[in-house]
Amino acid sequence: TAMSHMGIGTGTTNPVAGNTSLASENARVAVSSTVNANVVTYVATFGPGVGTGNINECGLFNSAAANSGTMLARSTSIVLTKGPNDSLAITWSVTMNAV
């Protein structure tokens, strides 16, 4: 199933290959995606009031429901605080290489 959503959370543990969810998810929104050759680019916007607070992790999923679905990737390279009136846009590019 195609990746369709991005989640954000407060978890700070380093990502490992066995991760199936975010450590501490607090919001998930639908993504838009584009494909250009072997690169898929996902864009998610967390509007005002969505995912407010500390943000330390994000992940790409194939499900709208929090803590469910298959996770394609997880990152803990985000460190910010999202205020209640702030919007946050995250762009994530995934490069596919043939083996």
Side-chain angles (χ1 to χ4, degrees), residues 14-20 71:
N14 289 330
V16 296
N19 287 159
T20 59
M71 182 169 66

Side-chain angles (χ1 to χ4, degrees), residues 5-95:
H5 288 75
M6 188 180 297
I8 55 175
T10 60
T12 57
T13 57
N14 289 330
V16 296
N19 287 159
T20 59
S21 63
L22 296 179
S24 184
E25 186 171 343
N26 64 6
R28 191 178 289 200
V29 299
V31 297
S32 61
S33 62
T34 57
V35 178
N36 185 6
N38 64 330
V39 178
V40 182
T41 302
Y42 301 95
V43 178
T45 301
F46 298 84
V50 179
T52 299
N54 294 332
I55 300 170
N56 301 98
E57 62 179 338
C58 62
L60 288 169
F61 299 90
N62 68 351
S63 173
N67 300 309
S68 68
T70 299
M71 182 169 66
L72 173 67
R74 176 175 174 251
S75 174
T76 55
S77 62
I78 297 175
V79 178
L80 63 91
T81 300
K82 183 178 176 295
N85 297 318
D86 294 340
S87 286
L88 170 65
I90 300 174
T91 301
W92 198 327
S93 295
V94 177
T95 302

